[in-house]
C-alpha cells in the first residue's frame, strides 16, 4: 500500500501480480524450508520486452497486429496475403528449423505488406522470439555512413533468430554492387543455416532474380510455402487510395 497526499492509502500497481515485480518469491518446501523461486510469468514478459527493444522496430510499427488489419472488404488477393501471414505466425514453432520457414509478401504498394509482416514480427517477439527489422533504404544508408560497424551489423543480421527485410530492392532501378554483396552474405548465411526471413517488396520473384539470381532464388525457396504476390487495380488494392 502507498500513502496519498491526503493520508489515505491506495494499492500499489504492479506489472507482475505474481511476484510484485520482484522477479521471484519465497515458497516453503515440504520440510518448511523457505526457498526463492524465479517468477516464470515475470521472466517471460521481461524477455519479450527486451526482444521488442532490440528489434529496431518503431513504436508505431509495434502497434501493427492481425486484428488491426482490415481485410474483409479488400480484394481476394489481399485476403490471401493476410491468410498467409496469419498461418505463418501460427505455424512458426513447427517450421522455424525447416528449409521452407520464411514469409514473402510481394507486389503492389499500399496493399498492407508491411503491416502484415509487422504483425508477424510483433507476434513472434511477444512469444520471446528475437527479430531484427531492416528497412532496405534506411538500413543501407546507415551501413554506408558507418562502415566501421559493417561487419558487426551484417553478423547480427545473419545470426538473429528472425530477420525482417522491409521494402527490399526499393530506391533504385537497379541495386548497387554494395547492396547485392551484403544482401547475399546475409541471405546465403540464413539459407545455409535454415534461419527464417520475412520479406516485403514491391518486386516479385522474377524481378528479384533479375537483380540477382542467387538471392532471389534462395528467398523464393525459403518462402515458397508462404509467398503471395499482390497485383490488381490500384484503387482496390492500395488502401491509401
Amino acid at each position: 500500500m502507498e500513502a496519498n497526499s491526503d493520508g489515505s492509502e491506495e494499492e500499489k500497481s504492479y506489472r507482475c501480480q505474481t511476484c510484485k515485480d520482484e522477479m521471484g518469491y519465497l515458497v516453503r518446501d515440504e520440510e518448511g524450508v523457505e526457498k526463492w523461486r524465479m517468477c516464470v510469468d515475470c521472466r517471460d514478459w521481461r524477455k519479450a520486452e527486451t526482444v521488442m527493444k532490440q528489434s529496431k522496430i518503431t513504436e508505431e510499427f509495434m502497434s501493427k497486429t492481425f486484428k488491426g488489419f482490415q481485410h474483409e472488404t479488400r480484394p481476394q488477393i489481399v485476403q490471401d496475403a493476410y491468410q498467409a501471414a496469419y498461418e505463418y505466425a501460427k505455424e512458426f514453432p513447427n517450421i522455424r528449423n525447416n528449409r521452407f520457414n520464411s514469409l514473402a509478401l510481394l507486389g503492389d504498394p499500399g496493399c498492407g505488406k508491411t503491416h502484415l509482416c509487422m504483425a508477424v514480427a510483433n507476434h513472434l517477439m511477444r512469444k520471446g522470439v528475437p527479430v531484427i527489422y531492416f528497412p532496405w533504404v534506411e538500413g543501407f544508408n546507415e551501413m554506408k555512413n558507418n562502415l566501421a560497424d559493417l561487419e558487426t551489423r551484417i553478423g547480427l543480421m545473419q545470426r538473429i533468430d528472425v530477420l525482417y527485410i522491409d521494402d527490399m530492392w526499393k530506391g533504385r532501378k537497379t541495386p548497387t554492387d554494395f547492396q547485392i554483396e551484403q544482401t547475399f552474405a546475409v541471405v546465403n548465411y540464413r539459407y545455409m543455416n535454415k534461419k527464417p526471413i520475412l520479406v516485403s517488396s514491391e518486386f516479385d520473384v522474377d524481378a528479384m532474380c533479375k537483380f540477382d539470381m542467387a538471392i532471389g532464388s534462395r528467398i523464393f525457396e525459403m518462402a515458397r510455402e508462404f509467398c503471395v504476390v499482390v497485383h490488381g487495380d490500384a484503387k482496390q488494392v492500395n488502401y491509401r487510395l
Side-chain angles (χ1 to χ4, degrees), residues 9-27:
E9 293 183 335
E10 64 176 14
E11 187 173 348
K12 183 178 179 180
S13 176
Y14 296 101
R15 298 184 69 182
C16 180
Q17 296 300 320
T18 303
C19 69
K20 305 296 187 285
D21 294 348
E22 295 292 334
M23 296 292 290
Y25 45 88
L26 290 172
V27 296

Side-chain angles (χ1 to χ4, degrees), residues 102-116:
S102 299
L103 170 72
L105 300 182
L106 315 173
D108 296 346
C111 65
K113 302 184 299 293
T114 294
H115 184 135
L116 290 172

Side-chain angles (χ1 to χ4, degrees), residues 1-202:
M1 305 288 283
E2 290 186 340
N4 292 322
S5 58
D6 61 2
S8 62
E9 293 183 335
E10 64 176 14
E11 187 173 348
K12 183 178 179 180
S13 176
Y14 296 101
R15 298 184 69 182
C16 180
Q17 296 300 320
T18 303
C19 69
K20 305 296 187 285
D21 294 348
E22 295 292 334
M23 296 292 290
Y25 45 88
L26 290 172
V27 296
R28 292 183 183 274
D29 61 18
E30 295 178 353
E31 299 177 354
V33 178
E34 288 188 333
K35 294 184 178 180
W36 184 260
R37 175 177 293 173
M38 294 296 295
C39 178
V40 176
D41 294 338
C42 192
R43 180 196 63 194
D44 288 347
W45 70 252
R46 286 180 185 270
K47 178 182 179 182
E49 185 177 71
T50 299
V51 166
M52 298 285 259
K53 288 180 179 178
Q54 294 175 341
S55 68
K56 298 186 181 299
I57 294 176
T58 65
E59 288 187 13
E60 178 186 357
F61 278 168
M62 283 185 181
S63 67
K64 302 299 183 184
T65 64
F66 290 112
K67 187 176 181 179
F69 187 81
Q70 301 299 321
H71 65 282
E72 293 86 353
T73 59
R74 306 284 295 282
Q76 184 59 50
I77 191 64
V78 176
Q79 296 187 46
D80 292 343
Y82 171 87
Q83 195 62 35
Y86 184 84
E87 290 297 323
Y88 177 84
K90 185 172 69 173
E91 290 296 317
F92 182 81
N94 301 320
I95 65 173
R96 66 182 300 175
N97 296 316
N98 297 343
R99 169 64 70 202
F100 313 124
N101 60 4
S102 299
L103 170 72
L105 300 182
L106 315 173
D108 296 346
C111 65
K113 302 184 299 293
T114 294
H115 184 135
L116 290 172
C117 285
M118 279 295 176
V120 172
N122 290 330
H123 172 83
L124 297 181
M125 288 190 290
R126 291 187 183 100
K127 298 292 184 181
V129 179
V131 178
I132 286 293
Y133 171 60
F134 183 78
W136 181 265
V137 175
E138 297 89 340
F140 274 111
N141 286 340
E142 289 179 9
M143 282 186 181
K144 294 188 72 173
N145 291 335
N146 195 359
L147 292 175
D149 290 338
L150 178 61
E151 185 175 347
T152 299
R153 187 184 293 264
I154 293 298
L156 178 59
M157 293 172 64
Q158 289 173 329
R159 295 186 296 271
I160 194 70
D161 290 48
V162 177
L163 173 66
Y164 172 26
I165 304 177
D166 186 25
D167 263 337
M168 191 171 185
W169 306 115
K170 183 80 171 180
R172 290 172 173 266
K173 290 184 178 180
T174 57
T176 66
D177 291 342
F178 178 80
Q179 289 175 324
I180 291 177
E181 180 181 351
Q182 304 309 322
T183 303
F184 178 77
V186 171
V187 171
N188 186 58
Y189 181 95
R190 301 190 68 84
Y191 174 84
M192 297 299 294
N193 291 278
K194 298 181 180 179
K195 300 181 77 66
I197 307 176
L198 312 178
V199 175
S200 63
S201 177
E202 294 178 8

